[in-house]
Amino acid sequence: MEVNGKDDLNVPLLKSSDDFVVDIPQPTNNKERKIRTVKFKIGEIKCASCSTTVESLLQKLDGIENAVVSPLQGLAAINYIPELIKVKKIKEAIEEAGFPVDEFPEQDISVCRLRIKGMACTSCSESIERALQMIDGVKTAVVGLALEEAKVHFDPNLTDTDCIIEAIEDAGFGAELISSENDANKVHLTVEGVNSPEDLTIIRSSLESVVGVTHVEMNLEENKITVAYDPDLNGPRSLINCIKEAGNGSKSYNASLFVAPIRREAEQQQEIRIYRDQFFLSCIFSVPVFVFSMLLPMLPPYGNWLDYKIHNMLTIGILLRWILCTPVQFIIGRRFYVGSYYALRRKSANMDVLVALGTNAAYFYSMYILIKALTSDKFEGQDFFETSAMLISFILLGKYLEVLAKGKTSDALSKLTDLAPDTAHLLTLDNDGNVVSEEEISTQLLQKNDIIKIVPGAKVPVDGIVIDGQSHVNESMITGEAIPIAKGPGDKVIGGTMNENGCLLVKATHVGSETALSQIVQLVEAAQLARAPVQKLADKISRFFVPTVVAAAFLTWLGWFITGQAGVYPEYWIPEATNKFELALQFGISVLVVACPCALGLATPTAVMVATGKGASQGVLIKGGNALEKAHKVKTVVFDKTGTLTVGKPEVVSAVPFSGYSMEEFCDLATAAEVNSEHPLAKAVVEHAKRYRQKIGSHTKHFTEVKDFEVHTGAGISGKVGDATVLVGNKRLMRACKVPIGPEVDDYISKNEQLARTCMLVAIDGKVAGAFAVTDPVKPEAKLVISFLRSMSISSVMVTGDNLATATAIANEVGIDKVFAETDPLGKADKIKELQMKGMAVAMVGDGINDSPALAAADVGMAIGAGTDVAIEAADIVLIKSNLEDVVTAIDLSRKTMSRIRLNYVWALGYNILGMPIAAGILFPFTGIRLPPWLAGACMAASSISVVCSSLLLQSYKKPLHARMP
């Protein structure tokens, strides 16, 4: 029951169920203050007086709007204002009154995705995770550095997205809500004509009266309405019409889809522009500084004017370098100060801390030199203003090139997202199926059961079924299959695919977030956000990396300074116009800058992003870095038979009656029993019986209803048809039901099993009445796939519920050596575990509900895309095209990705391992080679760019098996 207004809260709302959740409607008049509901169970409630006591106690608390306690079960539901009182305080107040809270509330968990701005390295993402996990109500939080997103699971009764965003901003980062879990069946509308609360009430009442609407949120300030609805009963177009119809007389309302102003691509372009502009602005100042300090002094007499003394020892050169460097240090480099402040405030350290330390050391030491030169007529010293300016410029260049490259890592996902067209041609039909009208509308306004016209050359807007027309549809964008597929009435079409040459009328079956394209995008986004186990190495290193680098830099400076003061190294080692302190300082700054951990944090996520996106465009959906990493370890692939190695559409090739039964009689009884079964073999029997009846001229469409229908998993079915008890299944079922199998039947079974046919016996009243020989043709690519897996040192195993002879015949045909036949679904999972006990990493490839336990048990579950939803849900990898070649693709892509990640770590750690000793001056005593701080900054930037570019090379990945096929 929908309740509006505070007065209605007095209506009894408690349910007499065992569930402790009590639903209380929230007051709608909450424009100024947010009101939330918390629900839990209270102990020691023995009578109505106890519940009244608790209610009275709660009502006295500041911030409690309403409280209801059931005297029967002690179930409580409390409306409260989170700004005034916390859930913990409510719980403590009840317990202080002598009533224990037996179950602290554990409500439905919501999920939200957020865009994060300002992350520089892995320590930033870890800091955000820690900040989020400290929020009361947040269960889990995962932050993706490369994707620049966060996924947060939280209890909506304890916190909300506003609190989550506020926590991220308090940690020093920008945050913007992308979506929440509940947005799937919500529509956001902009309303015109709303000028008063009365208008809102009219529109709300109108919307709440619509069938399927579950919740309405209104915002008068932004003229925005959010409506939650059941997509099977309603849709956005109907809701917009409802708002328009709510107007009457002088009141006129209009509504349209609310379009979010910022998209990911626009944000990426904006970030690229910011770094580019900052780099060019930095260059305007830092290039002259570099010229005045490095080039002109080496080109006398052109640089002599820089040595002109203005006052005491202060020269024009030092003054110019200070004037030009200061804007770079404090205006353009302000981002590093801000980042450092927030990092240190949350007791962590990141790239910004290293950059700020290095540049400040150079700048303020140079300021010391400038002041000494200004105040002394004898002092001589070398400033490092060019170090500070050039360092910031190189870091900005590195970040600019990095964000430019990182934008390309999600290209595949962007292409998938853009596949769906913006508009669609909606048809209105009369009762006779004639077209009454046609209009072009936004794809977002389409609803289930809409009829859409798709002209040649147009994209299919949503998933649906063809009701009229013939054409060929190119599904390569979704499945990777280049050959257009013929479509006619009854065929399914996928949103985002291209209609080639005919006009189709399509009935929408899945719209919005339910379309295959939307689910693929959601799956890839989730995969890119999930961390691969190999990422843990970088996370562990990053925790102590920056403090270690700072310590190493300090020790480097101290080591060079002390040895210099002690006269350990000769004076001629010190470069001209530099003293021992300055030389030591340069080495320390170089160590600080060259060892930045940015590249380390990007090594895994960028590779996973590119690989999952590339896999999706090739028809292989990989559910996260975990699945991607496990797949490269696979040494054994277990295949289901029916629908996996075989086409999955069995056909009856032989039917023989036994024991004096007529063909018609035994076909009719078998069909009546099998018509309720969803098994492919059952469907083959039913189709054969229909064809047989047509052949003999019988047009009976209705069969006697089966009673006591029972499925015997992995064996067959049984039931009563009329007065007859009918069994349809394999020999195992006959033995279990003690039905004798004569020599004639046994001989028929043996002959067909040798031909890789499955025999289905039909028993009537305890006697075998006949048998069907069913064959399921092997997929044409199966033999090649098994052979190719063997060349990859991967063994293949078949596990099937079919009989041993048929399974062996199929295995011999495709080249599989090991077969487990007559295995039930749980038995398949057990076989997987047996193989794992031998130390093998096992992948399972299946398509049916009966494969779900095995898919879940395997190290890597691979579901054939045409299979059942349950199988796809249980799998780690989904092969959209239902093509076995993609088993090889998935494993090979995993191997290539893991190899690329390892190479990325070489690039990332290589710069640090080689760069830090050189920056610390290990080569200087022997070769005179040292790494100036500005050059160390260039090396640091190069490490991040090289890692991202290395990951981008995965974009050129090609299927290994497809390339070798004739």
Side-chain angles (χ1 to χ4, degrees):
M1 179 175 75
E2 188 69 22
V3 180
N4 296 312
K6 276 189 180 180
D7 295 336
D8 291 325
L9 287 172
N10 296 323
V11 177
L13 295 165
L14 298 177
K15 304 172 185 176
S16 57
S17 68
D18 294 331
D19 189 48
F20 70 89
V21 174
V22 181
D23 292 324
I24 280 196
Q26 296 184 12
T28 58
N29 186 22
N30 59 351
K31 290 182 290 180
E32 296 180 0
R33 297 183 298 185
K34 288 186 178 180
I35 296 175
R36 297 203 193 112
T37 303
V38 65
K39 312 162 189 177
F40 46 74
K41 187 174 181 180
I42 302 174
E44 300 296 327
I45 300 288
K46 297 175 181 177
C47 60
S49 176
C50 294
S51 62
T52 304
T53 302
V54 174
E55 287 177 6
S56 301
L57 167 75
L58 292 171
Q59 292 285 6
K60 291 176 183 177
L61 295 175
D62 186 29
I64 299 294
E65 284 284 301
N66 186 276
V68 179
V69 181
S70 165
L72 298 176
Q73 297 163 309
L75 306 180
I78 303 149
N79 284 335
Y80 72 102
I81 300 168
E83 287 84 0
L84 301 178
I85 192 168
K86 300 296 181 187
V87 174
K88 189 177 180 182
K89 175 79 173 174
I90 299 172
K91 174 179 179 283
E92 288 173 354
I94 298 170
E95 288 178 334
E96 284 172 6
F99 298 95
V101 177
D102 293 343
E103 297 178 20
F104 194 70
E106 189 66 34
Q107 313 298 343
D108 293 335
I109 300 302
S110 292
V111 182
C112 69
R113 283 177 56 235
L114 304 138
R115 180 102 61 244
I116 308 294
K117 301 172 187 175
M119 289 192 294
C121 58
T122 310
S123 63
C124 294
S125 60
E126 286 194 333
S127 296
I128 296 171
E129 285 183 4
R130 285 196 297 271
L132 289 172
Q133 285 163 358
M134 289 173 67
I135 301 172
D136 187 25
V138 169
K139 304 302 177 184
T140 59
V142 180
V143 180
L145 174 64
L147 200 60
E148 296 181 332
E149 287 184 11
K151 188 175 184 180
V152 185
H153 292 73
F154 64 97
D155 184 340
N157 292 301
L158 300 180
T159 188
D160 59 13
T161 52
D162 291 339
C163 291
I164 291 169
I165 289 172
E166 187 180 337
I168 295 171
E169 289 174 346
D170 284 345
F173 301 92
E176 182 181 293
L177 183 67
I178 300 172
S179 66
S180 65
E181 186 183 60
N182 302 325
D183 284 346
N185 295 325
K186 279 185 180 179
V187 62
H188 304 280
L189 303 173
T190 302
V191 185
E192 297 173 6
V194 177
N195 302 309
S196 66
E198 183 187 350
D199 293 329
L200 288 177
T201 305
I202 293 170
I203 293 174
R204 177 188 286 275
S205 300
S206 180
L207 287 170
E208 288 176 343
S209 65
V210 176
V211 176
V213 171
T214 56
H215 186 65
V216 180
E217 290 179 16
M218 312 193 78
N219 188 326
L220 180 59
E221 293 177 3
E222 297 181 10
N223 284 343
K224 182 181 170 186
I225 296 180
T226 302
V227 186
Y229 63 94
D230 184 342
D232 291 324
L233 301 174
N234 227 307
R237 204 169 64 255
S238 300
L239 298 173
I240 289 173
N241 290 335
C242 173
I243 293 171
K244 290 178 180 178
E245 292 168 2
N248 52 39
S250 60
K251 298 285 185 182
S252 175
Y253 308 120
N254 199 4
S256 59
L257 284 172
F258 172 78
V259 180
I262 299 175
R263 296 181 63 190
R264 173 183 290 177
E265 293 78 7
E267 282 189 343
Q268 284 179 345
Q269 291 304 316
Q270 184 184 11
E271 187 180 19
I272 289 168
R273 280 195 301 272
I274 288 171
Y275 275 114
R276 182 195 62 198
D277 294 345
Q278 286 188 339
F279 168 65
F280 285 138
L281 184 61
S282 178
C283 283
I284 291 172
F285 295 99
S286 55
V287 169
V289 172
F290 182 75
V291 171
F292 294 157
S293 61
M294 296 288 188
L295 297 182
L296 286 180
M298 297 171 63
L299 300 171
Y302 302 107
N304 293 348
W305 62 276
L306 292 169
D307 295 327
Y308 178 79
K309 294 180 176 60
I310 300 171
H311 181 72
N312 286 340
M313 299 301 290
L314 179 65
T315 63
I316 290 177
I318 294 177
L319 185 64
L320 284 176
R321 288 193 288 272
W322 171 65
I323 292 169
L324 291 167
C325 175
T326 301
V328 178
Q329 181 70 35
F330 297 108
I331 299 174
I332 299 169
R334 179 178 178 274
R335 64 186 308 115
F336 302 113
Y337 286 100
V338 173
S340 299
Y341 165 73
Y342 282 111
L344 294 173
R345 197 181 77 169
R346 57 180 181 262
K347 299 178 182 178
S348 68
N350 59 6
M351 181 200 81
D352 293 331
V353 173
L354 292 180
V355 174
L357 279 173
T359 56
N360 275 329
Y363 181 84
F364 285 107
Y365 178 73
S366 301
M367 281 298 299
Y368 163 75
I369 296 293
L370 184 146
I371 293 167
K372 285 286 288 182
L374 181 64
T375 56
S376 171
D377 57 357
K378 295 180 181 179
F379 177 79
E380 289 186 8
Q382 177 67 34
D383 63 275
F384 293 150
F385 285 121
E386 84 286 346
T387 294
S388 168
M390 292 300 293
L391 193 52
I392 289 173
S393 296
F394 272 115
I395 290 166
L396 290 173
L397 173 63
K399 293 300 290 182
Y400 167 58
L401 296 174
E402 184 186 314
V403 296
L404 203 63
K406 270 167 62 179
K408 296 185 182 298
T409 60
S410 56
D411 272 358
L413 186 59
S414 301
K415 288 174 184 175
L416 279 174
T417 307
D418 294 338
L419 282 178
D422 295 326
T423 60
H425 292 277
L426 177 69
L427 302 182
T428 304
L429 306 181
D430 59 19
N431 294 333
D432 299 324
N434 300 315
V435 177
V436 176
S437 66
E438 177 183 336
E439 63 173 319
E440 188 173 4
I441 65 168
S442 168
T443 304
Q444 292 178 309
L445 292 174
L446 288 175
Q447 301 176 185
K448 284 186 179 179
N449 301 320
D450 279 344
I451 307 300
I452 314 153
K453 183 172 83 171
I454 304 165
V455 296
K459 288 182 179 179
V460 180
V462 292
D463 296 359
I465 296 175
V466 177
I467 60 171
D468 191 27
Q470 299 283 341
S471 184
H472 284 79
V473 176
N474 186 339
E475 298 183 344
S476 61
M477 295 85 86
I478 304 293
T479 66
E481 185 57 58
I483 302 170
I485 299 167
K487 300 288 182 181
D491 291 331
K492 293 180 181 178
V493 289
I494 306 170
T497 56
M498 181 72 73
N499 184 26
E500 296 272 324
N501 52 9
C503 186
L504 296 174
L505 297 189
V506 174
K507 182 179 181 180
T509 56
H510 297 83
V511 297
S513 61
E514 295 180 354
T515 64
L517 180 60
S518 293
Q519 292 183 357
I520 288 170
V521 170
Q522 290 167 25
L523 198 63
V524 175
E525 284 179 336
Q528 292 182 346
L529 192 59
R531 278 203 181 110
V534 71
Q535 174 72 14
K536 291 176 183 175
L537 172 64
D539 293 344
K540 286 178 182 176
I541 293 172
S542 68
R543 281 175 197 157
F544 59 83
F545 195 83
V546 173
T548 304
V549 169
V550 173
F554 178 74
L555 291 173
T556 299
W557 170 80
L558 197 64
W560 278 99
F561 181 65
I562 291 172
T563 54
Q565 291 297 104
V568 174
Y569 60 80
E571 292 287 336
Y572 68 84
W573 280 16
I574 304 171
E576 191 178 348
T578 305
N579 60 35
K580 296 169 183 176
F581 176 84
E582 292 165 359
L583 181 66
L585 185 64
Q586 285 199 10
F587 283 126
I589 293 171
S590 295
V591 171
L592 268 180
V593 177
V594 81
C596 185
C598 295
L600 198 63
L602 293 169
T604 299
T606 52
V608 170
M609 280 179 71
V610 177
T612 50
K614 186 67 178 177
S617 66
Q618 301 269 15
V620 178
L621 284 182
I622 302 169
K623 296 182 181 178
N626 195 20
L628 191 66
E629 183 171 343
K630 283 183 178 178
H632 92 284
K633 301 175 182 176
V634 168
K635 291 298 178 186
T636 303
V637 177
V638 177
F639 292 92
D640 174 45
K641 182 177 78 69
T642 306
T644 304
L645 287 171
T646 62
V647 174
K649 292 184 179 178
E651 293 182 354
V652 175
V653 292
S654 170
V656 177
F658 297 113
S659 305
Y661 287 93
S662 69
M663 176 69 78
E664 188 174 349
E665 185 179 9
F666 116 86
C667 275
D668 283 353
L669 288 171
T671 305
E674 289 279 39
V675 76
N676 291 326
S677 176
E678 290 295 315
H679 197 282
L681 296 179
K683 290 180 178 179
V685 169
V686 172
E687 284 299 316
H688 174 77
K690 286 181 181 177
R691 287 197 300 271
Y692 176 75
R693 281 195 156 277
Q694 289 173 354
K695 183 179 177 181
I696 63 174
S698 172
H699 299 289
T700 302
K701 292 185 180 179
H702 300 286
F703 298 99
T704 306
E705 186 178 350
V706 63
K707 296 178 181 177
D708 301 329
F709 179 81
E710 185 179 355
V711 175
H712 302 269
T713 306
I717 59 98
S718 63
K720 286 188 75 71
V721 181
D723 296 327
T725 301
V726 181
L727 302 174
V728 184
N730 54 24
K731 284 198 290 188
R732 188 148 47 104
L733 179 65
M734 300 301 148
R735 290 195 198 101
C737 296
K738 298 180 180 178
V739 175
I741 299 174
E744 183 185 9
V745 178
D746 214 23
D747 186 52
Y748 176 81
I749 293 172
S750 299
K751 286 179 180 177
N752 280 283
E753 285 180 347
Q754 288 172 5
L755 297 171
R757 295 173 180 173
T758 300
C759 285
M760 294 179 65
L761 304 178
V762 180
I764 302 172
D765 292 330
K767 292 176 63 178
V768 177
F772 295 100
V774 183
T775 187
D776 185 5
V778 173
K779 287 184 177 178
E781 73 274 12
K783 186 173 183 179
L784 184 61
V785 168
I786 302 302
S787 173
F788 197 89
L789 286 173
R790 190 177 291 114
S791 71
M792 296 170 71
S793 302
I794 297 172
S795 59
S796 300
V797 177
M798 181 197 291
V799 178
T800 177
D802 212 338
N803 64 77
L804 180 60
T806 304
T808 304
I810 295 289
N812 290 337
E813 186 176 345
V814 299
I816 291 177
D817 299 324
K818 189 176 287 186
V819 177
F820 299 106
E822 299 180 18
T823 310
D824 61 20
L826 293 177
K828 290 182 180 181
D830 290 338
K831 295 297 180 188
I832 298 283
K833 290 170 185 173
E834 283 178 22
L835 292 169
Q836 290 171 327
M837 292 285 285
K838 297 176 182 176
M840 298 180 187
V842 180
M844 170 70 193
V845 187
D847 72 322
I849 291 174
N850 61 338
D851 296 324
S852 299
L855 288 168
D859 295 285
V860 180
M862 299 187 189
I864 297 293
T868 65
D869 291 340
V870 177
I872 291 170
E873 188 68 30
D876 301 299
I877 297 173
V878 181
L879 312 178
I880 303 174
K881 293 192 301 177
S882 302
N883 193 322
L884 287 178
E885 292 172 17
D886 290 336
V887 173
V888 174
T889 303
I891 296 172
D892 185 65
L893 179 59
S894 170
R895 290 184 176 184
K896 293 282 196 308
T897 305
M898 292 310 299
S899 174
R900 184 62 54 182
I901 289 172
R902 284 190 283 269
L903 182 61
N904 286 351
Y905 277 127
V906 170
W907 280 112
L909 292 171
Y911 275 95
N912 290 326
I913 292 169
L914 293 175
M916 279 183 69
I918 295 172
I922 195 170
L923 298 179
F924 186 65
F926 313 106
T927 63
I929 295 174
R930 63 191 179 95
L931 201 63
W934 62 269
L935 190 56
C939 288
M940 184 272 291
S943 67
S944 296
I945 296 163
S946 61
V947 163
V948 178
C949 290
S950 171
S951 295
L952 281 172
L953 289 175
L954 285 169
Q955 289 278 25
S956 61
Y957 175 80
K958 291 189 177 359
K959 295 183 178 184
L961 187 55
H962 186 70
R964 300 186 182 208
M965 287 183 67

